C-alpha cells in the first residue's frame, strides 16, 4: 500500500488520500494443476483406480446375486440375519463403488478449470410486461366477459358448486355415521364379568392378592361386532391394595371390593394405555407422556400432562365369587374433547 | 459434422436428430448441458434428501408388491415362532411375510425405513444450510416456502408410513394422534371420525393411510421436488463469497460432465450408505412390538425422530389447571398448547423468516452471493435459538431413555427441560451472537494485521516483534466483501411543509426491528482502515501502544476484542443510521469505536 | 509406527478413528454377551439351622432378629423362599446403599448359603417356593403365548423385548435379557419392590414359563442386524444422524474438496 509513514503522522483521513472507497475483487483464483494434470503417471494411476472401483461394484452385484441364490433367509434368527447382511453388503458394494468411482473420475480426470457464467435478471423486460398485459386485455376483450355480468355470475356459481358433488358424499361417508356420542359409553354393563387380558379367563376376587395387578377386559369382548374398537375403550386395570391404604371418596365407597379397585386404562391425557403400576407407591405411570396417577387416592394426577383422574369402574362380586361391573363407567373414558360434558 | 463414423455415434446422432425434430430438444441441451454450478460440500445436503427420496421410491415400490393394506383379521403361520397362531391384521401379517419370507424383503424394508429417517435428517440439515447462509433471500423466497412445504410433507409421509404395519408401537402413536385431534375445539371429535372412519381404531385406517402414503403425499412431494429443482435451475445456484464470485455471475463447473459424475455418483454413494445401514442395523422391528391391540404399550414408546419434538412437547406440559370448562364445553389446553400451538409457532417462524427479514431490512434486491453466517449475527442466533428449542423438545421426548441410560429421575429431567425450554433458546441466542461478533472481529484483525507467523524478530535497539504475514488478495476479499448491515434510517414524520407523512408508523416499526437486528455489529474493514493499519501496523508490530489520533476514528480492535461488544446505541439522533457511501468517515468506523 | 504418526493428521484420520471405535465397541459387546444360569434343590433341617445363623449375622439388623420386620425393612414372615432367592441371588440383598431402588449387584452369598437362607425364611411361614428347573425351562414354554402375555403384563415397564425402562422418580424396570429364568419366575411370583405381584391365578405357572420362553428367545438377537440397544425409534434416530448423516456429510466434503 502506501509508503511507511512514521506512526505519529498517520491519521485515518490522511490515509484515505488515493485509497479507493471499497476493495476490489481479486477475481477468480488461479487454477492450480492437479497431480494428474502434471504427471501422466498420476493420471494413469487415477484411471486405474476408477476402473478398479467400477470393477468392485460389479463384484458387489455378483456377491449380491450369489447371496440371493445360495443363502435363503431360513427359519432361524441367525439365518435371517445372515441373509440380510450378505444381501445388504453386496448392494452396498455395488452402489457405493459406482459412486466413489464416478466422483473420483470427476475429481481427478475431468477438466478442473472453473468457469463463470453470467446471471440475468429474472424480471421480464418492461416491453415484455407491457405486451403481456396487452395480450391479457385483448383476451378479456375477445371473451367479452366484462360486458356480460350475469354470465360471469352464472359461470362462477357453476364452478363453485360443481365440486360439491364429490365433496358431499365424501364428507357424508368418510366419518361412518358421525355419531360422536359413542365416545361416552363402553361395553361394560351391570353384571359383566371382569376377565384377564388376553386369555379371557374371568377373575375371582380371591385370585387378586394384595399387590397384584390384572389387565382386564369384559368377558364378552369377543362377541362384540368390532372387538378392537370396544377394547380400545373398555380396558381396565385391576389392583388390590391394603384397604387401609385406600382413600375413597364418600360417593365411591361402594365401588371397590375389599381393596380391589378398577380404573380405566386409557389415559385422560391423549389416550395411551396407562399401565406402569408401582406396587409400593401405588402410582400408575403412563409410559407415553409420564402422567402419574395415584391409585390409592381416586387415581388423581400427581405428575405429568394429564389433568383429570382416570375414570373408575364400579365393581362388585357375583354369586360365584367372580368380579363383575356394577355399571358402565360414569363418565366418558380417555382424552378430553369439546363436548365431553354435554 | 461428417467426421464421426462409428456405428454407435451414428445411432446416437440419428436418435438425437429424431428427437430434436419432434421436440426441439437441441435447445434444451444447449441451454442446460454446460450450465455452471458452484462447488461446495454444503450444496450437496439437498441432494442427500433428493437421493434418499429416490431410494424410498425404489424400495417403496418393492414393498407395495407384497404389503396388504387391510385391517382384516388373520392368523399368522410362518417362520417367526413368537407370532405363530397369533391373530393379527393382514397388514401386520404381510409385513412379517415380506420381512421373513420374501428374499431381500427385510433388506428392502430396512432400506425404506432408514432412507425415510435420512430423508428427514437431510431435509433439516439442508434447511439449516439455506437458513444460515441467507440463501432464502430474494429471488428464492418462494423456493424456501416450497422447501418448507416439502419438509411438512416429509413428516406426513413418514408418519403415515410408520403406522402402516399396524403394530403396537405405531398404533399407540395413532392413538395419541387421535387424542390430540379430539382436543381441537368444536370440530375435534368429528375430525377424529373423519380420520378413523368412526371410532378409534376402526376398520378403515390402514387402507386410508396407505393411499395417503403411497399416492397422495409422494405425488405432491414429487411435483414439488420438480418445481424446487426447476427454480434452482432457473434462478441459478447461489455461491459462497470469494474472488470472482459476484452477484451477476456464477462460478463453478459445468453440469456435463462434472456434475453428472459428481451428483450422479453421489446418488450411488447415498444408496450405498443406506444399504450398509440396512444390512447391519435393525430398524423398526415390528415383530418385537406385535400386532396392534389397544391394551398393551411398551416402555420407550416414541415416534421416529422427526416427530419426537411433538412427543417432547406433550411430555413437558404440566397438566394441572390447564383443562378449562367453558359453558359446559371442554378446552384441553394441556394438549392443545404442546401439540398445536408450540409446533405452530416454531414452524410459522421458520416459514415466515425470509419475509420478516425482508421487511426489516427493506432490501428488495436480488442476492446470489451467500452470507457467511458470522456476518449476520442476528439471523444466525435466531436460527440457533429455534434449533435449540427443537432440540430440547427432542430430548424431552426421550426423557425416559435419558433417565434409564444416565440413572436420573424422570421427574427431575422433565422439570429441567420445562425450564430449559424457555431459558436455553435465549442463552443459545445470546452465545451465538457473541460468537458471531467475535468471529467478525477476528476477521477484522486478520485483515488489518495479517497472520501470526510465530517468527519473533529482535531489533537492534532491543525490541522484539512478531512478524505478521499479510493476507493475500483472496483471503482478504473473503473477509471484506460483505455489505455491512446497519439499522435503517427513515424519513422524518413530517415533510418540509410540516405535513404528516403516510406510512410513517410502519417505518418506525421497521426501524425498531431493524435496530434489534443490526444494532450490535462489526463492520468490514475498509481500504482506508487497512491503509491506516498498514502504516499504523508497522508501529503496532514494533510493539508500541495504540494511539488515538486527534478525534479521528481509529478502530481499537484489541479493546473491542477483549471487552465484548462494540455496542452501538442507535438511540440518540440516529446519526448512525444508513447513510449512503461515506466509508471512511461513515457509520462503519464509528460503530466500532466504542 | 512412523507411517502411523505421519498420517495421524490426515484429513481422513478422524473417520478412520471413528470406524475403529465402532468396530471395537461392537466387538466388545459381542464378547461380553450374556450367558444363562441354573436353579436349586430341596432343603433339609440342617439348611434351616445354618440359614438362621446366616440370617442373624447378615439380615437381622434391618429385618429383625426373628425376621418380623423393623422400621427400616419389611417383615419376611410368609414371603417364601422364592423371594429370598430372588433378592439374594441377584445381589439386591443385603442392601448396601439407599437409593431410589435397590439395585442388582454381584451376589454376596454363595449359592449354598442363599439356599440355606431361603430355607430358613420359608420355615417361618408359608410362601412361594423356588421354582423347579422344569417350571422355568424355556424350551418347554410357548413363546407366542409368552409374547402376548409379555406385551400386556410386562412390556410397559420392561420394554417390548425386556431391555428395561424408566419408572417415576429415578426408579426403573431392569433389563431382563441377562436375568436368569429362575429370577424372572421369582420376580413375577413375589413382586419385588415396585413390581406388582403376578400370582398363580393371574398368571398360571405355564403362562409364566411361556413368558420366560419369550424372553429367552430374545437372546438370539434380531434378524435385521444390530439391535441398537432395542430401545426403539430414539436410538434409530441417533444412529441415522451420527452414522448416516455423518458418513454422507463426510462423502460430501470429499466431493466438494479440490483434488490435489
Amino acid at each position: 500500500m502506501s509508503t511507511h509513514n512514521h506512526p505519529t503522522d498517520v491519521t485515518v483521513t490522511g490515509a484515505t488520500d488515493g485509497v479507493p472507497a471499497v476493495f476490489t475483487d481479486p477475481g477468480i483464483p488461479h487454477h492450480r494443476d492437479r497431480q494428474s494434470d502434471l504427471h501422466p503417471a498420476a493420471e494413469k494411476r487415477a484411471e486405474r483406480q476408477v476402473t478398479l472401483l467400477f470393477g468392485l461394484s460389479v463384484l458387489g452385484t455378483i456377491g449380491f446375486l450369489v447371496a440371493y441364490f445360495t443363502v435363503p433367509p431360513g427359519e432361524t434368527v441367525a439365518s435371517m440375519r445372515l441373509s440380510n447382511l450378505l444381501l445388504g453388503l453386496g448392494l452396498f458394494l455395488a452402489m457405493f463403488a459406482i459412486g466413489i468411482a464416478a466422483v473420483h473420475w470427476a475429481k481427478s480426470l475431468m477438466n478442473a478449470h472453473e468457469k463463470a457464467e453470467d446471471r440475468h435478471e429474472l424480471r421480464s423486460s418492461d416491453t415484455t410486461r407491457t405486451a403481456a398485459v396487452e395480450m391479457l386485455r385483448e383476451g378479456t376483450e375477445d371473451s367479452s366477459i366484462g360486458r356480460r355480468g350475469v354470465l360471469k355470475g352464472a359461470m362462477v356459481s357453476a364452478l363453485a358448486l360443481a365440486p360439491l358433488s364429490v365433496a358431499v358424499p365424501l364428507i357424508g361417508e368418510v366419518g361412518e355415521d358421525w355419531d360422536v356420542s359413542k365416545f361416552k359409553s363402553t361395553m361394560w354393563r351391570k353384571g359383566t364379568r371382569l376377565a384377564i387380558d388376553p386369555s379371557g379367563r374371568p377373575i375371582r376376587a380371591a385370585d387378586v392378592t394384595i399387590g397384584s395387578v390384572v389387565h382386564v377386559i369384559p368377558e364378552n369382548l369377543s362377541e362384540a361386532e368390532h372387538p378392537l374398537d370396544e377394547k380400545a375403550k373398555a380396558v381396565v386395570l385391576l389392583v388390590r391394595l391394603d384397604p387401609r391404604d385406600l382413600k375413597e371418596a364418600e360417593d365411591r365407597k361402594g365401588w371397590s371390593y375389599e381393596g380391589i379397585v378398577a380404573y380405566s386404562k386409557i389415559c385422560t391425557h391423549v389416550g395411551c394405555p396407562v399401565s406402569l403400576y408401582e406396587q409400593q407407591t401405588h402410582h400408575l405411570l403412563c409410559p407415553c407422556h409420564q402422567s402419574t396417577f395415584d391409585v390409592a387416592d381416586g387415581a388423581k394426577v400427581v405428575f405429568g400432562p394429564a389433568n383429570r383422574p382416570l375414570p373408575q369402574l364400579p365393581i362388585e362380586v357375583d354369586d360365584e365369587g367372580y368380579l363383575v361391573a356394577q355399571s358402565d363407567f360414569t363418565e366418558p373414558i380417555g382424552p378430553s374433547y369439546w363436548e365431553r360434558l354435554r | 459434422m461428417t467426421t464421426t463414423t462409428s456405428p454407435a455415434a451414428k445411432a446416437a446422432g440419428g436418435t438425437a436428430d429424431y428427437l430434436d425434430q419432434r421436440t426441439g430438444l437441441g435447445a434444451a441441451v444447449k441451454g442446460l448441458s454446460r450450465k455452471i454450478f458452484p462447488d461446495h460440500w454444503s450444496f450437496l445436503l439437498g441432494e442427500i434428501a433428493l437421493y434418499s427420496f429416490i431410494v424410498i421410491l425404489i424400495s417403496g415400490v418393492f414393498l407395495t408388491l407384497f404389503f396388504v393394506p387391510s385391517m382384516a383379521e388373520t392368523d399368522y403361520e410362518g417362520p417367526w415362532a413368537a407370532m405363530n397362531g397369533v391373530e393379527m391384521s393382514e397388514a401386520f401379517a404381510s409385513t412379517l411375510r415380506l420381512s421373513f419370507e420374501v428374499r431381500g424383503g427385510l433388506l428392502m424394508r430396512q432400506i425404506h425405513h432408514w432412507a425415510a429417517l435420512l430423508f428427514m435428517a437431510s431435509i433439516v440439515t439442508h434447511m439449516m444450510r439455506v437458513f444460515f447462509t441467507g440463501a432464502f433471500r430474494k429471488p428464492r423466497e418462494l423456493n424456501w416456502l416450497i422447501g418448507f412445504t416439502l419438509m411438512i410433507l416429509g413428516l406426513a409421509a413418514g408418519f403415515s408410513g410408520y403406522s402402516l404395519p399396524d403394530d403396537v408401537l405405531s398404533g399407540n402413536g395413532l392413538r395419541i394422534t387421535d387424542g390430540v385431534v379430539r382436543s381441537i375445539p368444536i370440530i375435534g371429535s368429528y375430525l377424529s371420525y373423519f380420520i378413523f372412519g368412526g371410532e378409534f381404531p376402526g376398520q378403515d385406517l390402514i387402507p386410508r393411510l396407505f393411499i395417503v402414503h403411497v399416492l397422495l403425499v409422494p405425488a405432491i412431494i414429487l411435483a414439488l421436488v420438480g418445481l424446487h429443482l426447476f427454480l434452482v435451475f432457473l434462478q441459478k445456484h447461489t455461491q459462497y463469497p470469494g474472488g470472482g464470485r459476484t452477484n451477476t455471475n456464477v462460478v463453478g463447473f459445468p453440469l456435463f460432465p462434472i456434475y453428472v459424475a459428481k451428483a450422479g455418483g453421489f446418488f450411488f454413494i447415498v444408496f450405498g450408505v443406506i444399504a450398509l445401514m440396512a444390512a447391519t442395523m435393525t430398524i423398526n422391528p415390528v415383530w418385537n412390538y406385535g400386532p396392534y391391540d389397544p391394551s398393551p404399550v411398551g416402555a420407550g414408546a416414541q415416534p421416529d425422530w422427526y416427530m419426537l419434538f411433538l412427543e417432547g412437547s406433550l411430555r413437558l406440559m404440566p397438566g394441572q389447571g390447564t383443562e378449562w370448562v367453558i359453558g359446559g364445553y371442554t378446552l384441553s389446553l394441556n394438549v392443545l398448547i404442546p401439540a398445536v400451538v408450540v409446533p405452530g409457532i416454531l414452524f410459522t417462524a421458520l416459514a415466515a423468516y425470509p419475509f420478516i427479514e425482508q421487511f426489516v431490512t427493506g432490501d428488495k434486491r436480488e442476492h446470489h452471493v451467500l452470507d457467511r453466517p458470522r456476518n449476520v449475527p442476528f439471523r444466525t442466533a435466531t436460527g440457533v435459538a429455534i434449533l435449540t428449542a427443537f432440540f430440547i423438545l427432542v430430548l424431552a421426548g426421550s426423557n425416559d431413555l435419558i433417565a434409564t441410560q444416565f440413572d436420573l429421575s424422570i421427574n427431575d429431567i422433565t422439570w429441567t427441560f420445562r425450564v430449559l425450554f424457555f431459558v436455553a433458546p435465549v442463552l443459545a441466542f445470546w452465545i451465538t451472537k457473541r460468537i458471531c461478533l467475535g468471529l467478525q472481529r477476528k476477521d477484522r484483525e486478520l485483515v488489518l494485521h495479517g497472520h501470526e507467523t510465530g517468527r519473533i524478530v529482535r531489533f537492534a535497539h532491543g525490541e522484539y516483534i512478531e512478524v505478521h504475514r499479510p493476507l493475500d488478495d483472496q483471503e482478504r476479499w473473503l473477509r471484506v466483501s460483505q455489505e455491512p448491515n446497519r439499522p435503517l434510517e427513515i424519513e422524518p414524520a413530517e415533510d418540509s411543509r410540516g405535513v404528516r407523512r403516510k406510512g410513517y408508523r410502519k417505518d418506525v416499526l421497521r426501524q425498531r426491528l431493524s435496530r434489534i437486528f443490526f444494532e450490535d455489529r462489526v463492520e468490514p474493514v475498509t481500504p482506508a482502515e487497512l491503509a491506516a493499519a498498514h502504516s499504523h501496523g508497522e508501529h503496532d508490530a514494533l510493539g508500541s501502544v495504540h494511539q488515538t489520533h486527534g478525534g479521528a476514528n481509529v478502530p481499537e480492535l484489541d479493546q473491542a476484542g477483549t471487552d465484548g461488544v462494540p455496542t452501538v446505541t442507535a438511540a440518540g439522533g440516529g446519526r448512525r443510521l444508513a447513510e449512503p457511501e461515506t466509508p471512511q468517515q461513515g457509520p462503519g468506523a464509528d460503530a466500532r469505536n466504542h | 509406527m512412523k507411517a502411523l504418526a505421519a498420517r495421524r493428521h490426515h484429513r481422513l484420520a478422524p473417520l478412520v478413528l471413528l470406524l475403529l471405535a465402532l468396530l471395537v465397541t461392537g466387538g466388545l459387546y459381542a464378547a461380553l454377551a450374556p450367558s444363562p444360569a441354573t436353579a436349586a434343590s430341596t432343603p433339609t433341617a440342617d439348611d434351616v439351622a445354618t440359614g438362621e445363623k446366616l440370617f442373624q449375622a447378615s439380615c437381622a439388623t434391618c429385618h429383625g432378629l426373628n425376621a418380623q420386620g423393623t422400621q427400616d425393612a419389611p417383615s419376611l414372615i410368609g414371603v417364601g423362599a422364592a423371594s429370598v432367592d430372588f433378592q439374594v441371588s441377584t445381589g439386591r440383598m443385603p442392601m448396601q446403599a439407599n437409593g431410589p431402588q435397590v439395585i442388582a449387584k454381584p451376589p454376596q452369598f454363595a449359592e449354598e448359603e442363599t439356599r440355606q437362607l431361603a430355607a430358613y425364611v420359608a420355615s417361618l411361614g408359608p410362601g412361594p417356593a423356588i421354582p423347579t428347573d422344569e417350571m422355568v425351562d424355556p424350551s418347554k414354554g410357548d413363546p407366542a403365548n409368552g409374547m402376548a402375555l409379555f406385551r400386556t403384563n410386562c412390556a410397559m415397564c420392561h420394554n417390548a423385548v425386556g431391555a428395561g425402562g424408566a419408572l417415576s422418580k429415578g426408579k426403573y424396570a431392569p433389563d431382563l435379557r441377562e436375568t436368569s429364568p429362575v429370577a424372572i419366575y421369582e420376580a413375577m411370583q413375589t413382586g419385588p419392590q415396585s413390581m406388582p405381584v403376578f400370582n398363580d391365578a393371574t398368571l398360571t405357572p405355564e403362562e409364566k414359563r411361556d413368558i420366560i420362553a419369550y424372553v429367552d428367545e430374545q437372546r438370539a438377537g434380531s434378524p435385521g442386524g444390530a439391535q441398537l440397544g432395542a430401545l426403539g425409534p430414539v436410538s434409530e434416530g441417533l444412529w441415522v444422524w451420527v452414522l448416516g448423516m455423518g458418513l454422507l456429510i463426510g462423502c460430501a466434503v470429499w466431493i466438494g474438496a479440490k483434488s490435489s
Side-chain angles (χ1 to χ4, degrees):
Chain A
M1 287 252 166
S2 58
T3 51
H4 295 176
N5 297 331
H6 191 267
T8 47
D9 296 342
V10 178
T11 64
V12 169
T13 39
T16 58
D17 300 333
V19 174
V22 288
F23 284 97
T24 47
D25 186 343
I28 300 176
H30 278 295
H31 172 73
R32 249 186 286 165
D33 280 333
R34 300 163 297 188
Q35 291 296 316
S36 51
D37 296 324
L38 300 171
H39 311 293
E43 190 186 356
K44 264 270 161 270
R45 193 171 57 233
E47 191 187 333
R48 263 201 316 277
Q49 285 166 342
V50 172
T51 316
L52 225 108
L53 283 165
F54 280 123
L56 207 59
S57 162
V58 173
L59 284 184
T61 309
I62 293 172
F64 181 95
L65 293 175
V66 169
Y68 177 81
F69 287 111
T70 59
V71 187
E75 305 263 313
T76 68
V77 170
S79 63
M80 289 170 184
R81 188 162 48 220
L82 183 68
S83 158
N84 185 64
L85 180 69
L86 294 179
L87 291 174
L89 289 181
L91 184 60
F92 160 69
L93 204 57
M95 294 298 170
F96 199 71
I98 294 183
I100 301 285
V103 174
H104 189 41
W105 184 356
K107 283 181 56 136
S108 59
L109 294 171
M110 291 182 185
N111 183 344
H113 285 267
E114 279 191 317
K115 295 180 174 59
E117 185 178 273
D118 285 341
R119 288 179 195 275
H120 307 284
E121 208 185 9
L122 290 159
R123 178 188 187 280
S124 347
S125 69
D126 284 337
T127 38
T128 314
R129 281 189 174 192
T130 321
V133 171
E134 178 59 22
M135 280 177 175
L136 288 180
R137 197 194 54 74
E138 275 175 20
T140 318
E141 192 109 307
D142 288 354
S143 71
S144 71
I145 194 160
R147 285 180 281 123
R148 301 184 213 276
V150 180
L151 190 150
K152 187 157 73 178
M155 179 185 73
V156 169
S157 335
L159 285 175
L161 292 178
L164 284 180
S165 49
V166 176
V168 168
L170 179 80
I171 293 169
E173 299 304 308
V174 77
E176 205 190 23
D177 56 4
W178 290 111
D179 177 13
V180 297
S181 69
K182 285 186 204 155
F183 287 161
K184 295 191 186 204
S185 57
T186 73
M187 67 183 292
W188 290 107
R189 296 286 172 273
K190 184 172 176 51
T192 308
R193 277 186 181 164
L194 277 67
I196 295 178
D197 180 28
S199 66
R201 283 202 306 276
I203 310 160
R204 275 180 221 274
D207 293 346
V208 188
T209 45
I210 287 180
S212 349
V213 51
V214 188
H215 299 265
V216 167
I217 48 175
E219 192 189 15
N220 55 353
L221 179 67
S222 55
E223 296 156 23
E225 196 189 347
H226 297 304
L228 279 191
D229 292 11
E230 292 302 337
K231 191 174 183 182
K233 291 191 292 185
V235 280
V236 158
L237 198 80
L238 195 68
V239 176
R240 184 166 203 161
L241 301 94
D242 188 331
R244 284 167 297 180
D245 291 338
L246 199 57
K247 264 194 265 172
E248 287 182 294
E250 272 310 312
D251 55 335
R252 293 190 177 185
K253 287 270 191 224
W255 287 15
S256 64
Y257 178 81
E258 292 182 356
I260 304 178
V261 284
Y263 284 100
S264 164
K265 212 171 133 179
I266 305 306
C267 189
T268 55
H269 176 222
V270 281
C272 268
V274 197
S275 41
L276 278 77
Y277 178 64
E278 298 176 8
Q279 195 217 133
Q280 289 173 331
T281 55
H282 312 304
H283 285 178
L284 193 56
L285 177 71
C286 176
C288 294
H289 306 106
Q290 285 99 37
S291 295
T292 312
F293 303 87
D294 187 355
V295 175
D297 187 10
K300 285 207 179 80
V301 180
V302 292
F303 186 77
N307 179 269
R308 284 180 292 108
L310 295 167
Q312 186 175 2
L313 183 73
I315 52 167
E316 58 191 2
V317 168
D318 69 7
D319 306 337
E320 297 169 59
Y322 288 104
L323 288 166
V324 295
Q326 287 184 29
S327 68
D328 194 358
F329 290 100
T330 55
E331 57 180 316
I333 59 98
S336 300
Y337 53 97
W338 185 246
E339 56 280 76
R340 196 180 92 89
L341 298 176
R342 282 273 156 170
Chain B
M1 298 302 271
T2 51
T3 46
T4 50
T5 46
S6 83
K10 236 183 202 166
T15 314
D17 177 53
Y18 182 92
L19 286 175
D20 187 48
Q21 289 202 34
R22 281 152 187 84
T23 60
L25 193 65
V29 172
K30 175 173 168 278
L32 296 181
S33 62
R34 298 289 277 177
K35 205 171 164 67
I36 299 296
F37 281 87
D39 215 17
H40 193 270
W41 68 267
S42 71
F43 297 158
L44 294 173
L45 295 169
E47 284 187 26
I48 302 179
L50 176 67
Y51 299 147
S52 40
F53 184 64
I54 296 172
V55 173
I56 288 171
L57 289 183
I58 295 170
S59 52
V61 169
F62 185 100
L63 296 179
T64 49
L65 301 183
F66 301 99
F67 178 70
V68 184
S70 158
M71 294 173 96
E73 293 289 315
T74 176
D75 283 331
Y76 176 79
E77 291 299 332
W80 196 253
M83 288 289 159
N84 255 332
V86 173
E87 201 182 350
M88 56 181 68
S89 64
E90 286 278 8
F92 192 82
S94 61
T95 307
L96 292 185
R97 269 198 301 279
L98 75 84
S99 300
F100 300 139
E101 291 165 58
V102 175
R103 286 192 189 193
L106 181 58
L107 183 68
M108 282 296 164
R109 227 193 106 231
Q110 301 208 117
I111 284 182
H112 194 70
H113 206 133
W114 279 120
L117 295 195
L118 195 66
F119 180 54
M120 288 313 299
S122 50
I123 286 182
V124 170
T125 324
H126 173 56
M127 251 181 134
M128 288 197 268
R129 197 281 293 169
V130 170
F131 184 91
F132 288 121
T133 57
F136 53 74
R137 289 172 299 169
K138 189 183 172 186
R140 295 181 180 78
E141 310 97 315
L142 293 180
N143 228 10
W144 168 263
L145 286 184
I146 293 171
F148 174 81
T149 314
L150 278 168
M151 179 192 67
I152 302 289
L153 287 168
L155 293 179
F159 187 73
S160 57
Y162 163 82
S163 305
L164 280 181
D166 202 18
D167 57 301
V168 165
L169 183 63
S170 69
N172 278 310
L174 287 170
R175 178 135 219 189
I176 294 170
T177 313
D178 177 52
V180 169
V181 167
R182 282 203 217 175
S183 77
I184 297 169
I186 305 170
I187 56 165
S189 309
Y190 296 95
L191 213 52
S192 162
Y193 264 51
F194 178 92
I195 295 169
F196 295 95
E199 277 193 285
F200 175 88
Q203 317 297 310
D204 302 329
L205 188 64
I206 297 294
R208 285 182 186 182
L209 282 176
F210 184 69
I211 205 65
V212 166
H213 182 71
V214 304
L215 180 75
L216 214 54
V217 175
I220 305 175
I221 290 183
L222 212 52
L224 286 182
V225 165
L227 193 57
H228 201 64
L229 292 178
F230 170 75
L231 284 177
V232 170
F233 268 80
L234 185 75
Q235 295 169 340
K236 298 200 170 94
H237 209 287
T238 50
Q239 56 193 347
Y240 280 99
R245 276 97 174 138
T246 71
N247 216 26
T248 55
N249 74 1
V250 50
V251 179
F253 299 103
L255 180 63
F256 181 74
I258 300 284
Y259 283 101
V260 169
K262 279 192 175 182
F266 197 40
F267 164 73
F268 290 96
I269 290 177
V270 172
F271 201 157
V273 167
I274 295 171
L276 183 65
M277 296 181 82
T280 53
M281 302 194 289
T282 305
I283 189 163
N284 198 24
V286 290
W287 50 85
N288 287 341
Y289 306 137
Y292 183 63
D293 173 337
S295 173
V297 62
Q302 271 114 348
D304 276 346
W305 78 263
Y306 45 82
M307 296 299 246
L308 259 184
F309 74 102
L310 265 181
E311 175 82 4
S313 180
L314 279 167
R315 288 182 183 196
L316 284 193
M317 183 76 189
Q320 302 303 340
T322 47
E323 182 173 304
W324 297 353
V325 178
I326 304 161
Y329 291 105
T330 309
L331 188 65
S332 298
L333 292 177
N334 55 336
V335 181
L336 268 180
I337 291 176
V340 182
V341 177
V342 167
I345 291 172
L346 278 180
F347 281 137
T348 311
L350 203 56
Y353 186 83
F355 304 94
I356 297 171
E357 190 181 292
Q358 197 166 68
F359 173 78
V360 171
T361 55
D363 186 352
K364 295 275 159 54
R365 294 165 305 162
E366 289 188 8
H367 290 278
H368 301 292
V369 178
L370 296 171
D371 286 323
R372 300 171 81 210
R374 67 183 64 172
N375 288 337
V376 200
F378 185 88
R379 179 205 294 151
T380 306
T382 307
V384 173
I386 291 179
L387 274 179
T388 307
F390 181 83
F391 190 61
I392 295 284
L393 291 181
V394 167
L395 286 180
S398 325
N399 61 359
D400 52 337
L401 292 173
I402 297 176
T404 49
Q405 301 298 310
F406 299 98
D407 282 339
L408 296 166
S409 154
I410 207 162
N411 306 58
D412 298 345
I413 296 175
T414 305
W415 270 109
T416 310
F417 286 145
R418 280 175 183 170
V419 175
L420 277 182
F421 178 67
F422 294 99
V423 176
V426 177
L427 264 179
F429 180 93
W430 187 79
I431 292 170
T432 312
K433 204 168 150 185
R434 293 306 110 177
I435 291 175
C436 287
L437 291 168
L439 286 171
Q440 279 183 286
R441 263 182 234 116
K442 189 167 162 258
D443 278 349
R444 282 187 56 87
E445 189 137 345
L446 262 178
V447 171
L448 290 171
H449 303 290
H451 297 288
E452 290 177 9
T453 58
R455 208 150 57 81
I456 310 289
V457 175
R458 181 172 181 254
F459 281 83
H461 53 275
E463 274 193 64
Y464 288 93
I465 61 150
E466 184 185 359
V467 178
H468 283 228
R469 179 168 51 79
L471 274 62
D472 69 30
D473 283 352
Q474 295 289 348
E475 288 174 319
R476 183 185 310 119
W477 178 242
L478 182 68
R479 290 167 178 81
V480 298
S481 58
Q482 77 268 24
E483 265 182 26
N485 287 307
R486 296 169 189 148
L488 284 177
E489 170 143 51
I490 59 170
E491 302 275 323
E494 292 165 357
D495 64 15
S496 52
R497 284 169 294 170
V499 180
R500 238 185 125 69
R501 179 166 74 80
K502 255 201 214 163
Y504 176 67
R505 279 169 169 282
K506 192 174 155 195
D507 281 0
V508 168
L509 171 70
R510 192 181 281 219
Q511 185 184 37
R512 277 209 195 114
L513 286 171
S514 158
R515 278 179 195 163
I516 296 172
F517 270 59
F518 301 122
E519 207 158 59
D520 296 344
R521 65 184 184 281
V522 176
E523 303 221 358
V525 177
T526 62
E529 285 169 343
L530 184 63
H534 254 241
S535 37
H536 184 77
E538 295 302 315
H539 152 87
D540 183 43
L542 290 170
S544 306
V545 193
H546 276 291
Q547 287 182 25
T548 313
H549 306 279
N553 297 310
V554 174
E556 303 212 60
L557 284 161
D558 292 353
Q559 186 199 342
T562 49
D563 74 358
V565 223
T567 313
V568 180
T569 332
R575 67 199 160 86
R576 284 177 217 87
L577 301 184
E579 259 171 65
E581 301 312 307
T582 49
Q584 60 275 51
Q585 281 283 309
D590 205 1
R592 288 180 303 275
N593 201 14
H594 285 255
Chain C
M1 251 9 233
K2 226 178 204 163
L4 192 67
R7 283 189 193 137
R8 95 204 133 102
H9 293 301
H10 194 270
R11 66 203 143 89
L12 290 182
L15 191 70
V16 171
L17 269 180
L18 178 71
L19 283 175
L20 268 178
L22 286 173
L23 278 176
V24 169
T25 321
L28 274 178
Y29 179 78
L32 300 172
S35 56
T38 47
S41 58
T42 43
T44 63
D46 264 3
D47 290 339
V48 174
T50 328
E52 185 169 6
K53 286 204 191 86
L54 285 168
F55 186 90
Q56 308 282 348
S58 305
C59 319
T61 352
C62 302
H63 288 287
L65 274 176
N66 300 310
Q68 78 280 20
T70 66
Q71 276 187 330
D72 302 324
S75 159
L76 299 184
I77 298 167
V79 299
S83 186
V84 177
D85 187 52
F86 174 83
Q87 300 284 359
V88 178
S89 70
T90 60
R92 286 180 167 84
M93 290 291 153
M95 193 169 134
Q96 272 171 353
N98 273 312
Q101 79 185 41
V102 186
I103 52 170
K105 50 185 183 294
Q108 314 282 301
F109 290 95
E111 255 180 65
E112 180 69 12
E113 294 170 323
T114 309
R115 212 166 48 78
Q116 290 158 341
L117 266 177
Y120 166 67
V121 172
S123 73
L124 299 174
I130 299 171
T132 61
D133 286 349
E134 162 114 6
M135 289 163 82
V136 298
D137 186 352
S139 64
K140 295 200 167 73
D142 169 13
N145 189 43
M147 173 172 190
L149 293 163
F150 192 88
R151 265 164 14 112
T152 309
N153 293 294
C154 322
M156 67 291 251
C157 302
H158 289 284
N159 152 315
V161 295
L167 302 176
S168 68
K169 308 216 165 133
K171 298 188 288 286
Y172 61 92
D175 189 336
L176 301 180
R177 292 170 299 178
E178 292 174 38
T179 309
S180 72
V182 176
I184 295 176
Y185 192 101
E186 289 166 345
M188 288 190 274
Q189 186 102 39
T190 61
Q193 302 188 57
S194 295
M195 182 163 163
V197 177
F198 296 93
N199 61 34
D200 286 350
T202 52
L203 275 182
T204 64
E206 289 74 36
E207 288 177 330
K208 288 195 178 82
R209 189 166 60 190
D210 293 346
I211 287 177
I212 290 170
Y214 172 72
V215 175
D216 185 65
E217 208 163 67
Q218 300 316 311
R219 298 185 209 273
S222 162
Q227 284 188 300
L228 314 181
L231 298 176
V234 173
S235 72
E236 290 159 10
L238 196 66
W239 281 92
V240 90
W241 275 97
V242 173
L243 192 70
M245 286 306 283
L247 274 177
L248 287 173
I249 289 179
C251 290
V253 170
W254 171 63
I255 295 172
K258 282 214 166 27
S259 126
S260 56

